[in-house]
Amino acid sequence: MKTRDRLRIAMQKSGRLTEPALDLLNRCGLTFRQSRDKLFCFGEGEPVDLLLVRDDDIPGLIAQGVCDLGIVGRNVLSEYRLTAGREAEELAEWRALGFGRCRLSIAVPQELDYREAAQLQGQRIATSYPGLLGEWLRERGIDAGVVTLAGSVEIAPRLGTADAICDLVQSGGTLVANQLREAEVLLESEAVLAGAKALPSDERGDMIELLLKRLDGVIQVRESRLLLLQTSRHALEAVIRLLPGGPQPTLLPVAGQPDQLMLQALCAGEVSWRQLEEIKKAGAREMFVLPVEKMLA
Ligand code: PRP
Ligand code: ZN
């Protein structure tokens, strides 16, 4: 095969992962020239291009070497691993990306008194994930019929073509609209960065390493908050005890108020209203929670 010198990333053409995936790549310093309704987007600064495709095609494109990386749901990657045979063994989940969270679940009609998995014995279950569903059933020794459908899985019970379904659940709205309820969770999913287990030995390998480092920085920053507040020296100890985890806070004097301090703390995650109210009760005031734009520790 002809070798490429530019890195190629596959991602969903249009769907729930498209916007956040593009946003993430932008934050990593990658920008692209083509409009998003085109199949191919040329990278402007770095030698990294995008291929916009159907999400189910992404693992195969990586396995065949057409793309080096892909942003895809763990559900799609796992299903591919179970159904594609040998070539799927070369794929790795490089990073979990923290968006597109959903779960692959079995759902049953609301009126069914569901208590345990054994009730699925002999039932027909409609799904687009025959690999994952089949493995789950086998592990439990359940003999059920797997009805493989490409889409609109949720209407199968109403049409009488299945007794239950196995599909993605995010808000749960689709299940409610179809008078179904979640019975078993098979897989917790989110968007992941997938790629070949072995890095290419040319510049593309170096580019992947660079991208992974930037990605780690972006993911860490996205979850970080800077907390600023004022407190009296007297309340300082109580306030510090309530701070969410992170490195030691910085303390600064407040001009003209020797009894007061300004405290600055980096927090590892979101700071909730409840946490702020607790800290305030302990004696803090003038509190600010700021997002962190960039971080180089
Ligand atoms: C998924 C899934 C369900 C729905 C669940 O479909 O197949 O239909 O989302 O989401 P909810 O719990 O928030 O209602 P999606 O919209 O991603 O389209 P697709 O199945 O065609 O990929
Ligand atoms: Zn899909």
Side-chain angles (χ1 to χ4, degrees):
M1 194 196 299
K2 196 164 151 283
T3 57
R4 283 179 286 110
D5 51 357
R6 295 176 66 86
L7 198 71
R8 203 179 279 160
I9 306 177
M11 59 175 246
Q12 196 181 28
K13 185 174 162 64
S14 59
R16 296 189 195 200
L17 302 187
T18 309
E19 281 299 329
L22 207 60
D23 180 59
L24 186 66
L25 293 177
N26 288 159
R27 281 169 197 271
C28 289
L30 303 182
T31 52
F32 305 94
R33 209 168 49 206
Q34 285 273 14
S35 69
R36 244 171 299 144
D37 47 331
K38 303 264 168 54
L39 193 68
F40 188 83
C41 298
F42 185 80
E44 290 178 313
E46 312 285 357
V48 182
D49 304 323
L50 282 186
L51 204 61
L52 302 177
V53 296
R54 256 168 40 97
D55 60 351
D56 306 306
D57 294 337
I58 293 174
L61 289 170
I62 302 169
Q64 290 149 27
V66 177
C67 292
D68 306 288
L69 298 170
I71 296 178
V72 66
R74 179 179 294 131
N75 50 299
V76 173
L77 186 62
S78 306
E79 178 67 17
Y80 182 79
R81 281 216 179 102
L82 289 171
T83 49
R86 290 284 313 271
E87 65 178 14
E89 288 165 24
E90 306 307 315
L91 293 189
E93 181 181 314
W94 280 104
R95 292 291 187 278
L97 301 177
F99 61 87
R101 286 185 206 278
C102 61
R103 44 200 191 273
L104 181 68
S105 297
I106 292 177
V108 298
Q110 274 167 7
E111 64 274 14
L112 182 77
D113 177 24
Y114 185 89
R115 280 156 287 116
E116 51 172 9
Q119 285 169 271
L120 298 168
Q121 178 75 28
Q123 303 285 296
R124 295 161 305 160
I125 309 173
T127 191
S128 308
Y129 297 86
L132 287 164
L133 174 60
E135 181 187 54
W136 188 88
L137 291 168
R138 253 191 322 282
E139 281 170 4
R140 283 155 188 79
I142 298 166
D143 189 12
V146 174
V147 181
T148 304
L149 299 176
S152 304
V153 168
E154 59 273 7
I155 61 170
R158 253 189 304 155
L159 296 178
T161 50
D163 306 298
I165 68 164
C166 171
D167 198 9
L168 296 182
V169 181
Q170 194 182 50
S171 66
T174 302
L175 293 187
V176 171
N178 289 281
Q179 287 122 51
L180 299 167
R181 69 188 170 94
E182 208 169 348
E184 302 279 355
V185 177
L186 279 57
L187 178 79
E188 298 279 352
S189 187
E190 66 186 279
V192 303
L193 183 74
K197 266 183 199 157
L199 288 184
S201 53
D202 52 19
E203 302 85 17
R204 286 179 296 153
D206 300 339
M207 192 62 222
I208 292 177
E209 277 178 2
L210 180 74
L211 185 60
L212 288 175
K213 267 191 216 130
R214 288 190 188 175
L215 208 49
D216 289 340
V218 168
I219 291 170
Q220 202 188 352
V221 159
R222 190 177 57 194
E223 282 155 15
S224 299
R225 297 288 181 274
L226 189 68
L227 174 62
L228 299 177
L229 58 83
Q230 270 194 38
T231 173
S232 65
R233 288 178 188 274
H234 169 73
L236 182 62
E237 206 180 308
V239 167
I240 287 183
R241 224 179 295 131
L242 289 170
L243 294 180
Q248 279 298 312
T250 308
L251 299 171
L252 303 163
V254 176
Q257 299 183 62
D259 179 46
Q260 293 289 311
L261 286 169
M262 182 176 153
L263 180 151
Q264 168 185 311
L266 188 68
C267 307
E270 185 67 63
V271 184
S272 69
W273 282 110
R274 184 157 301 178
Q275 283 172 310
L276 285 180
E277 284 151 6
E278 290 292 313
I279 297 169
K280 183 155 194 217
K281 252 188 242 160
R285 56 198 184 84
E286 303 284 327
M287 305 175 72
F288 297 91
V289 180
L290 308 175
V292 177
E293 169 99 6
K294 284 196 179 72
M295 189 158 72
L296 198 60

